[in-house]
């Protein structure tokens, strides 16, 4: 336990080398979605008319390249409003389609790839899509100091809207894959990507299976009670924000507020008992609210994303093979 916490604290110290130099706090109370219809708030306004696939190389049975489409929920930033990612397509038409959703502040897909990529590519041949969250990687605005700075911050409205953008665009992408590919669609989210994947699972019935790894649940809880959120909390408190109001303003983003729209038997949750990024109490809340789907709790911290990646890959792939029967 002490080793797991030490590793997490060391990583957190490194994480906070990059932080906002200016206060991000902003609130427009008249436009905070409190007591709104959740289905309408996250509704896909129109199907994706075009997903551009730019295939640049081949490896074994795979065509490899990038995908891109214009966000259906534009933020007004030229970089953020194009959804981009990497794609690996098998020549076989009926292979499962796995969408990977990365974590907060990730600078590349490498950490996720190191868990799953080679096992899937070399042994299973499933299609893989690496989905970029708002304000991350190539979607990072020029004025942003680090990847993901503007997705979760003390800007109350923008945090909600970036979550909404992520959900609507991901739902639209799932629906596009369903319409254009033959195989089932699987979502695999890691950390903040787990939070987004869990939230989309409460809204989108076209998902065939979900795996959520070291997922966060309530943004308000994470910002107020965990070390990764401490500078955002300082920003909020400096401007007079209290925890109860933050909970109310960000409630619309909580996955635990609704049951998933997919078969509970096709959900795998993976948590870390000593996680200093995502407290186990908050992870427990989602599991219990969702009526206890299959769950593994590892004896590690959030750094298990690196230290336990072979186990994560083995458990995830075994679960999915059993559910997909392919």
């Amino acid at each position: 336990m002490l080793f797991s916490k030490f590793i997490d604290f060391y990583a957190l110290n490194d994480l906070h080398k990059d932080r906002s130099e200016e206060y991000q706090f902003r609130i427009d109370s008249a436009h905070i979605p409190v007591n709104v219809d959740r289905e309408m708030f996250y509704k896909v306004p129109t199907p994706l008319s075009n997903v551009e696939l730019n295939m640049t190389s081949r490896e074994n049975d795979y065509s490899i390249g990038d995908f891109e489409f214009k966000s259906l929920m534009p933020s007004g930033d030229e970089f953020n409003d194009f959804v981009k990612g990497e794609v690996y397509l098998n020549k076989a038409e009926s292979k499962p389609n796995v969408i990977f959703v990365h974590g907060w502040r990730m600078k590349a897909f490498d950490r996720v790839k190191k868990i799953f990529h080679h096992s899937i590519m070399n042994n299973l041949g499933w299609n893989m899509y690496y989905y970029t969250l708002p304000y991350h990687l190539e979607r990072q605005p020029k004025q942003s100091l680090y990847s993901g700075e503007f997705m979760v911050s003390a800007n109350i409205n923008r945090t909600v809207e970036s979550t909404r953008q992520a959900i609507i665009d991901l739902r639209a992408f799932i629906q596009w894959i369903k319409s254009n590919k033959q195989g089932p669609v699987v979502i695999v989210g890691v950390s903040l990507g787990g939070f987004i994947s869990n939230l989309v699972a409460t809204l989108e019935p076209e998902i065939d299976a979900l795996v959520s790894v070291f997922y966060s649940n309530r943004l308000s809880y994470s910002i107020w009670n965990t070390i990764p959120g401490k500078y955002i909390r300082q920003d909020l408190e400096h401007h007079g924000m209290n925890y109860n109001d933050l909970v109310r303003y960000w409630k619309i983003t909580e996955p635990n507020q609704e049951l998933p729209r997919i078969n509970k038997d096709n959900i795998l949750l993976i948590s870390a008992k000593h996680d200093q990024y995502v407290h186990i109490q908050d992870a427990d809340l989602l599991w219990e609210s969702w009526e206890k789907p299959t769950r593994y709790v590892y004896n590690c911290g959030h750094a298990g994303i690196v230290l336990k990646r072979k186990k994560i890959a083995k458990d995830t792939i075994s679960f999915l093979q059993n559910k997909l029967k392919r």
Side-chain angles (χ1 to χ4, degrees):
M1 179 180 71
L2 289 176
F3 177 73
S4 297
K5 288 185 175 181
F6 172 79
I7 294 295
D8 272 11
F9 280 123
Y10 177 82
L12 285 164
N13 182 63
D14 186 64
L15 179 83
H16 283 140
K17 288 179 180 178
D18 294 321
R19 62 177 187 264
S20 298
E21 292 181 353
E22 299 178 353
Y23 287 128
Q24 296 291 314
F25 180 81
R26 188 182 176 196
I27 185 168
D28 180 358
S29 300
H31 295 95
I32 295 175
V34 176
N35 299 322
V36 300
D37 184 286
R38 193 170 176 276
E39 293 291 331
M40 291 300 297
F41 186 73
Y42 291 112
K43 183 179 179 180
V44 177
T46 182
L48 284 175
S49 58
N50 180 50
V51 175
E52 182 180 336
L53 297 177
N54 179 29
M55 312 312 287
T56 56
S57 64
R58 286 184 169 274
E59 183 176 339
N60 299 326
D61 293 333
Y62 277 92
S63 295
I64 302 169
D66 303 306
F67 68 84
E68 179 177 337
F69 60 90
K70 192 171 182 179
S71 174
L72 298 178
M73 190 57 54
S75 65
D77 183 89
E78 61 177 325
F79 293 101
N80 184 51
D81 288 343
F82 281 88
V83 182
K84 302 179 180 183
E86 297 180 12
V87 60
Y88 297 75
L89 297 178
N90 196 294
K91 67 181 182 180
E93 292 293 328
S94 61
K95 291 290 186 177
N97 300 278
V98 185
I99 303 173
F100 294 105
V101 188
H102 64 80
W104 186 38
R105 299 173 61 136
M106 284 193 180
K107 301 174 182 179
F109 295 117
D110 293 356
R111 189 167 294 181
V112 177
K113 280 185 174 180
K114 286 178 180 178
I115 302 173
F116 304 106
H117 191 83
H118 292 298
S119 294
I120 290 177
M121 193 170 188
N122 296 332
N123 302 321
L124 300 170
W126 296 349
N127 297 324
M128 292 179 285
Y129 309 80
Y130 291 89
Y131 179 87
T132 305
L133 289 173
Y135 299 107
H136 285 77
L137 308 179
E138 292 180 87
R139 300 178 68 181
Q140 179 181 342
K142 285 183 178 180
Q143 66 272 29
S144 174
L145 296 179
Y146 59 85
S147 177
E149 179 185 17
F150 292 170
M151 182 170 180
V152 180
S153 72
N155 186 317
I156 302 298
N157 298 72
R158 188 177 63 201
T159 298
V160 174
E161 288 303 317
S162 64
T163 303
R164 185 187 191 194
Q165 184 184 44
I167 295 301
I168 289 174
D169 289 336
L170 182 54
R171 291 189 67 187
F173 190 47
I174 291 165
Q175 294 168 11
W176 182 85
I177 293 173
K178 274 287 188 176
S179 297
N180 290 275
K181 300 292 179 183
Q182 296 180 18
V185 175
V186 176
I187 308 296
V188 177
V190 178
S191 193
L192 181 67
F195 158 76
I196 292 295
S197 300
N198 294 344
L199 184 54
V200 83
T202 67
L203 296 152
E204 182 52 59
E206 295 290 350
I207 301 170
D208 295 286
L210 165 71
V211 178
S212 190
V213 181
F214 298 176
Y215 55 91
S216 54
N217 178 39
R218 295 168 295 170
L219 291 180
S220 55
Y221 179 91
S222 294
I223 293 306
W224 212 263
N225 295 288
T226 70
I227 298 172
K230 71 176 183 178
Y231 291 110
I232 297 176
R233 176 179 174 175
Q234 287 177 12
D235 191 345
L236 291 166
E237 290 187 307
H238 178 82
H239 291 90
M241 179 63 60
N242 64 65
Y243 181 57
N244 289 335
D245 283 343
L246 187 65
V247 170
R248 183 163 60 91
Y249 294 149
W250 285 356
K251 186 177 180 179
I252 190 74
T253 69
E254 294 180 4
N256 62 277
Q257 293 296 325
E258 297 287 341
L259 289 171
R261 297 285 299 275
I262 64 176
N263 186 338
K264 185 177 77 171
D265 292 340
N266 290 349
I267 296 172
L268 173 62
L269 303 178
I270 301 177
S271 299
K273 186 176 181 181
H274 308 297
D275 201 325
Q276 301 301 298
Y277 289 64
V278 179
H279 288 172
I280 191 68
Q281 303 96 306
D282 200 37
D284 288 346
L285 176 62
L286 179 82
W287 177 61
E288 292 164 1
S289 299
W290 278 11
E291 300 177 352
K292 299 183 178 180
T294 302
R295 186 193 192 198
Y296 303 143
V297 178
Y298 295 171
N299 188 31
C300 65
H302 205 74
I305 291 172
V306 175
L307 301 177
K308 297 281 188 178
R309 61 189 178 205
K310 288 184 179 179
K311 180 171 177 57
I312 293 171
K314 180 180 178 182
D315 288 344
T316 297
I317 290 170
S318 176
F319 178 84
L320 292 175
Q321 283 182 303
N322 179 261
K323 298 304 175 183
L324 301 177
K325 303 297 184 185
R326 292 170 186 263

